[in-house]
């Protein structure tokens, strides 16, 4: 199956070579040169993954990200200029799943894209997990608390599933990066922290006093079903 | 950085000024008091002599009229009675064999011998003498036409008392003047030195970097002029430094802008080269080598621009630390493994947990190990540990070493130890590593010996012991987490 990728990037050279690289890797690529066009393309075509530049004319990457998140849980990878500054965190807080820093080599982008799509793939043969009033269905890719359906992105869902599979087990950020984001070594732990924040805001009654996803200071996170 | 300026004791100058003031006032007051005392004393004493001589002369005339050629006892007692009535003096008379005195305490024996000699020679003379602690002016003379000498003892006690009082008053006055001069001197010295103290405080604050420091010009005297020229100097200094720092900011912004502008075409280049790299094997032989070089050079360029961006961010102080608890030795292990250096780098060390920014640590350690591998070849050793100074990561190679003259410059930007030889790095790696180390509160030392090898030591502060690390808790690389992974379906 050829997954469809929407690539939103204003620089023609980067756009062309990234398209070529993603196509070579087996993706079907749609492109857009600015934010507004990107949003239109996203609404017109069914898309499995969005690769989104942060600095875009017409509508910047953050705006596009926010708009897409309003209507879809599709995985989003941000192309960020600097890994060091706040723009990475801002993108993640707006619901991006991962980011790739410019300049990037094509294999890296392809690997991140595949990892994001793998997260979004359902695992139909896994049984439904019930933790208190929280119900997680890996096959249906859905989670609910009581009657309330939780609106989780693919990454948030995978993160919740990973934690909830082993209640009481402490997960380091590195382990979560490896298992949820498919980073081998030394990924950016901000990915985990921001995703946990977003997950809590959707799962917990009071995200400041979490009852499910607990922080273990200096180490990582732990799921509690009690 | 700079030695703390030696504090000068300002009180010393103040004391000296006060002392000078007291001395000047005291000496002139003493001179004035002393000379006026002497003048008054002189005048009073000679006045006393004049009056006493006048009286003595009159008394002698009276004696001449009263006494006969050979004065009888009655005549003498009449004369003494008459003298008694005039009062104010004691009379001692010597006529032939007879000696008379109008007082019990004063007698002929008290008449000074010198005076007697003069009087016998027929002169009216005087001399001062002291009898039983009473000071007298003795005036003596011969009674005209008689063989009798009369000596009048005029008491000068009152005169001396008055002079003593005058002297005391003058001394008290002098003391008061000195005291007053001291007080005025202290106040005056302090007031005079206020601008000096203010100027030295201003100079100090200028030295500490408060370039907008100025002195108030409140006076029109020399201090005012001084303050004005101090302000001029500060103005010039501020202008100069502002211009310099503006130039530096411009230069750094230019570097940042250049790096930033390069990034977009570079991003395209890197992506293009990475795609090209996948197809090199299938290229015609004559295109293969140029393509390989192209790919390698694009990576080199990308690294250089990346380093430029990073160092300009560090220069601009725009870097943020994201600190968390890090186990230094497992971090170093992960850095080595993730770069495929396992076979060539020996890591040795125990668990050292500290609070720091792992991404910056990775940057530093990867740079140091990468350098060691580049220059030292095989046998790179990394030791992680803790000593009295804090935590450290020591990277040792057995390469050719760094020459002594190059050693102080290895952290300089774009410093090349051998200008004729192209170095593989950007030339910024160690500079960035050092900046990052300092950002983390640490430092990097280097030790090297030509022919033996080089050792870089990253030193880091160990801020606080980690809390909340209980028994059931695990870290990356720890058994707990990994083992449970194995149970997974």
């Amino acid at each position: 199956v050829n997954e469809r990728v929407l690539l939103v990037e204003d620089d023609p050279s980067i756009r062309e070579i990234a398209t070529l690289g993603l196509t070579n890797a087996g993706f079907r690529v749609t492109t857009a040169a600015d934010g507004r066009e990107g949003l239109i393309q996203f609404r017109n075509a069914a898309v499995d993954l969005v690769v989104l530049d942060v600095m875009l004319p017409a509508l910047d990457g953050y705006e596009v990200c926010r708009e897409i998140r309003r209507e879809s849980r599709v995985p989003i990878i941000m192309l960020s200029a600097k890994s060091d500054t706040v723009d990475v965190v801002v993108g993640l807080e707006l619901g991006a799943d991962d980011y790739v820093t410019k300049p990037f080599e094509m294999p890296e982008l392809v690997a991140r894209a595949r990892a994001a799509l793998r997260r979004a793939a359902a695992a139909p043969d896994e049984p439904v997990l019930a933790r208190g009033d929280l119900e997680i269905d890996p096959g249906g890719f859905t989670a609910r608390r009581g009657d309330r359906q939780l609106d989780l992105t693919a990454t948030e869902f995978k993160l919740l599933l990973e934690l909830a599979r082993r209640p009481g087990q402490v997960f380091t950020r590195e382990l979560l990066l490896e298992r949820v984001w498919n980073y081998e070594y030394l990924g950016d732990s901000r990915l985990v922290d921001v995703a946990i924040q977003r997950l809590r805001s959707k799962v917990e009654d009071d995200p400041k006093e979490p009852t499910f996803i607990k922080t273990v200071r200096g180490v990582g996170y732990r799921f509690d079903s009690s | 950085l700079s030695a703390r300026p030696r504090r000068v004791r300002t009180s010393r100058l103040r004391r000296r000024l006060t002392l000078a003031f007291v001395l000047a006032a005291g000496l002139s007051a003493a001179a004035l008091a002393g000379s006026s005392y002497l003048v008054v004393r002189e005048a009073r004493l000679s006045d006393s002599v004049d009056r006493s001589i006048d009286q003595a002369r009159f008394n002698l005339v009276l004696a001449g009229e009263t006494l006969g050629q050979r004065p009888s006892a009655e005549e003498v007692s009449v004369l003494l009675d008459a003298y008694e009535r005039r009062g104010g003096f004691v009379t001692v008379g010597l006529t032939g064999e007879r000696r008379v005195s109008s007082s019990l305490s004063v007698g002929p024996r008290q008449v000074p011998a010198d005076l007697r000699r003069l009087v016998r020679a027929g002169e009216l003379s005087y001399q001062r003498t002291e009898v039983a602690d009473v000071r007298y002016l003795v005036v003596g003379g011969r009674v005209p036409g008689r063989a009798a000498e009369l000596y009048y003892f005029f008491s000068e006690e009152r005169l001396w008392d008055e002079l003593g009082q005058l002297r005391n008053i003058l001394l008290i006055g002098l003391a008061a003047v000195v005291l007053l001069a001291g007080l005025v001197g202290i106040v005056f010295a302090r007031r005079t030195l206020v601008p000096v103290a203010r100027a030295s405080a201003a100079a100090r604050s200028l030295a500490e970097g408060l370039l907008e420091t100025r002195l108030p010009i409140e006076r029109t005297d020399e201090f005012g002029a001084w303050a004005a020229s101090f302000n001029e100097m500060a103005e010039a200094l501020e202008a100069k430094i502002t211009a310099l720092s503006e130039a530096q900011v411009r230069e750094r912004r230019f570097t940042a802008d250049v790096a930033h502008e390069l990034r977009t075409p570079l991003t395209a280049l890197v992506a293009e080269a990475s795609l090209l790299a996948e197809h090199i094997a299938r290229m015609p032989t004559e295109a293969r080598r140029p393509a390989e070089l192209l790919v390698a050079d694009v990576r080199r360029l990308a690294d250089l621009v990346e380093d430029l961006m990073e160092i300009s961010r560090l220069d601009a102080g725009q870097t943020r630390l994201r600190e968390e608890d890090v186990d230094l030795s497992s971090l170093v292990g992960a850095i080595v493994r993730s770069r495929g250096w396992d076979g060539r780098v020996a890591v040795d060390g125990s668990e050292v947990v500290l609070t720091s920014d792992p991404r910056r640590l990775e940057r530093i350690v990867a740079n140091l190990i990468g350098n060691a591998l580049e220059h030292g070849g095989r046998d790179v050793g990394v030791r992680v540990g803790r000593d009295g100074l804090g935590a450290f990561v020591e990277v040792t190679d057995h390469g050719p070493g760094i020459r002594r003259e190059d050693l102080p410059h290895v952290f300089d930007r774009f410093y090349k130890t051998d200008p004729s030889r192209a170095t593989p790095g950007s030339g910024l790696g160690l500079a960035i590593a050092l900046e990052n180390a300092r950002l983390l509160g640490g430092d990097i030392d280097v030790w090297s010996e030509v022919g033996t090898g080089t050792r870089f030591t990253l030193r880091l502060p160990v801020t606080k012991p980690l809390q909340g690390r209980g028994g059931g808790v695990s870290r990356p690389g720890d058994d707990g987490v990994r083992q449970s992974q194995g149970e997974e379906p």
Side-chain angles (χ1 to χ4, degrees), chain A residues 2 11 13 33 46 49 52 110 113 119 138 174 184 196 200 211-213:
Chain A
N2 288 348
D11 184 75
S13 285
L49 173 72
L52 188 58
V110 169
R119 279 199 294 280
E174 289 79 2
E184 300 233 321
I196 290 276
R200 276 178 181 155
T211 53
F212 291 106
I213 304 156

Side-chain angles (χ1 to χ4, degrees), chain A residues 11 13-14 17 20-21 24 81-84 86 99 102-107 165-166 169-170 172 174-175 178-179 185-186 188-190 217-219, chain B residues 263-264 267-268 270-272 274-275 278-279 299 306 313 319-320 322 324-325 331 335 337-338 359-360 362 467 473-476 481-482 484-485 488:
Chain A
D11 184 75
S13 285
I14 299 175
I17 195 67
L20 191 60
N24 286 355
K82 310 157 219 163
S83 63
D84 209 38
V86 281
Y99 71 93
K102 286 177 170 184
F104 53 86
E105 306 213 350
M106 275 319 296
R165 264 186 196 143
R166 247 174 290 281
Q169 164 77 58
V170 179
T172 63
E174 289 79 2
L175 183 60
E178 188 185 316
R179 303 191 48 85
Y185 291 105
L186 302 171
D188 185 349
S189 57
R190 283 180 296 184
R217 245 202 87 217
V219 189
Chain B
R263 185 176 281 251
T264 301
T267 301
V270 167
E272 287 150 16
S274 69
L275 270 193
E278 291 175 9
H279 303 288
R299 284 197 181 127
E306 199 55 43
R313 273 200 300 271
T319 42
R320 294 174 152 212
R322 287 190 300 112
E324 48 191 87
D325 296 322
L331 182 80
I335 290 166
R337 280 196 305 280
S338 68
R359 280 152 42 92
R360 298 204 172 273
E362 180 188 359
Q467 291 162 6
V473 162
S474 33
R475 285 175 296 285
V481 176
R482 302 285 161 160
S484 67
Q485 265 178 278
E488 212 184 327

Side-chain angles (χ1 to χ4, degrees), chain B residues 5-193:
Chain B
R6 203 167 54 89
R7 278 300 280 259
V8 181
R9 297 247 319 268
T10 46
S11 62
R12 202 171 286 170
L13 183 55
R14 194 156 68 204
R15 217 178 301 150
R16 233 180 285 160
L17 262 176
T18 310
L19 194 67
F21 205 81
V22 168
L23 272 177
L27 284 177
S28 45
L32 201 66
S35 58
S36 40
Y37 173 74
L38 287 178
V39 167
V40 169
R41 182 170 172 267
E42 223 32 63
R44 291 295 303 275
L45 288 178
S46 72
D47 183 49
S48 161
V49 169
D50 290 350
R51 270 190 290 113
S52 305
I53 285 180
D54 280 353
Q55 204 166 352
R57 208 171 262 139
F58 178 81
N59 285 348
L60 286 172
V61 171
L62 189 69
E65 285 164 8
T66 312
L67 300 179
Q69 201 60 265
R70 300 189 63 88
S72 64
E74 281 125 284
E75 282 166 351
V76 169
S77 91
V78 168
L79 180 67
L80 289 181
D81 279 350
Y83 284 172
E84 191 76 26
R85 279 196 297 280
R86 292 176 59 84
F89 54 91
V90 175
T91 312
V92 173
L94 304 172
T95 50
E97 302 307 302
R98 193 174 304 156
R99 275 116 178 82
V100 269
S101 172
S102 66
S103 160
L104 289 175
S105 57
V106 178
R109 226 175 303 226
Q110 272 76 37
V111 177
D114 292 346
L115 183 66
R116 281 195 70 177
R117 219 171 294 124
L118 286 168
V119 170
R120 248 180 228 150
E123 295 193 34
L124 183 69
S125 303
Y126 71 88
Q127 189 173 352
R128 288 200 161 86
T129 188
E130 195 169 309
V131 179
D133 284 341
V134 180
R135 274 162 293 197
Y136 292 100
L137 177 68
V138 191
V139 184
R142 288 174 69 110
V143 183
R146 309 282 185 279
E149 298 156 25
L150 286 174
Y151 297 90
Y152 307 105
F153 283 72
F154 296 96
S155 167
E156 285 188 322
E157 269 313 296
R158 263 197 44 211
L159 171 63
W160 285 108
D161 276 353
E162 279 167 22
L163 284 175
Q165 269 173 29
L166 176 66
R167 194 191 55 220
N168 289 344
I169 287 169
L170 285 174
L171 279 176
I172 288 168
L174 181 66
V177 164
V178 167
L179 207 68
L180 199 68
L183 286 174
V184 170
I186 286 170
V187 172
F188 174 74
R190 188 169 295 164
R191 296 255 317 256
T192 308
L193 292 177

Side-chain angles (χ1 to χ4, degrees), chain B residues 417-472:
Chain B
T417 50
D418 182 358
S420 66
R421 204 182 58 188
T423 40
S426 69
L428 288 170
L430 278 175
I432 290 173
L434 184 63
E435 293 280 343
N436 275 322
R438 294 204 171 138
L439 205 61
L440 298 178
D443 207 350
I444 303 178
D445 301 334
V446 59
W447 171 92
S448 189
E449 206 169 78
V450 173
T452 309
T454 305
R455 180 166 61 232
F456 282 96
T457 309
L458 166 67
R459 299 208 150 272
L460 293 163
V462 179
T463 39
K464 52 178 187 219
L466 194 58
Q467 291 162 6
R469 216 180 250 282

Side-chain angles (χ1 to χ4, degrees), chain B residues 172-323:
Chain B
I172 288 168
L174 181 66
V177 164
V178 167
L179 207 68
L180 199 68
L183 286 174
V184 170
I186 286 170
V187 172
F188 174 74
R190 188 169 295 164
R191 296 255 317 256
T192 308
L193 292 177
V194 159
V196 178
R198 207 185 280 154
S200 86
R204 210 173 304 131
S205 98
L206 205 62
E208 277 161 9
L210 288 168
L211 295 177
E212 63 276 15
T213 307
R214 296 290 181 274
L215 282 174
I217 306 177
E218 297 162 335
R219 309 154 47 138
T220 50
D221 57 7
E222 288 86 341
F223 282 120
W226 179 23
S229 31
F230 179 91
N231 288 351
E232 256 169 59
M233 179 201 73
E235 201 92 41
L237 195 66
E238 189 182 9
K240 195 90 194 158
I241 285 176
T242 309
L244 275 175
S245 59
E246 272 169 6
Q248 195 182 29
V249 165
R250 261 200 309 279
E251 187 196 319
R252 285 180 173 173
R253 179 163 310 144
F254 179 72
T255 312
D257 287 350
V258 166
H260 192 78
E261 288 305 313
L262 283 176
R263 185 176 281 251
T264 301
L266 192 68
T267 301
L269 272 180
V270 167
E272 287 150 16
S274 69
L275 270 193
L276 198 62
E278 291 175 9
H279 303 288
I280 282 178
R282 278 180 282 131
M283 282 183 180
T285 12
E286 61 271 30
R288 204 173 294 162
R289 187 60 191 150
E292 280 170 5
L293 288 174
L294 184 72
V295 168
D297 286 336
V298 165
R299 284 197 181 127
R300 204 148 62 95
L301 183 63
D303 286 345
L304 173 61
V305 172
E306 199 55 43
D307 284 355
L308 273 177
M309 293 281 290
E310 181 162 2
I311 205 132
S312 60
R313 273 200 300 271
L314 286 164
D315 284 344
Q318 283 175 354
T319 42
R320 294 174 152 212
L321 286 183
R322 287 190 300 112
E323 299 199 310

Side-chain angles (χ1 to χ4, degrees), chain A residues 19-58:
Chain A
T19 306
L20 191 60
L22 288 169
T23 312
N24 286 355
F27 296 102
R28 276 191 284 151
V29 184
T30 317
T31 61
D34 65 47
R36 191 161 297 138
E37 195 194 330
L39 213 50
I40 293 167
Q41 293 277 13
F42 174 76
R43 283 168 183 154
N44 288 348
V47 165
D48 299 307
L49 173 72
V50 180
V51 177
L52 188 58
D53 191 16
V54 172
M55 308 281 263
L56 286 173

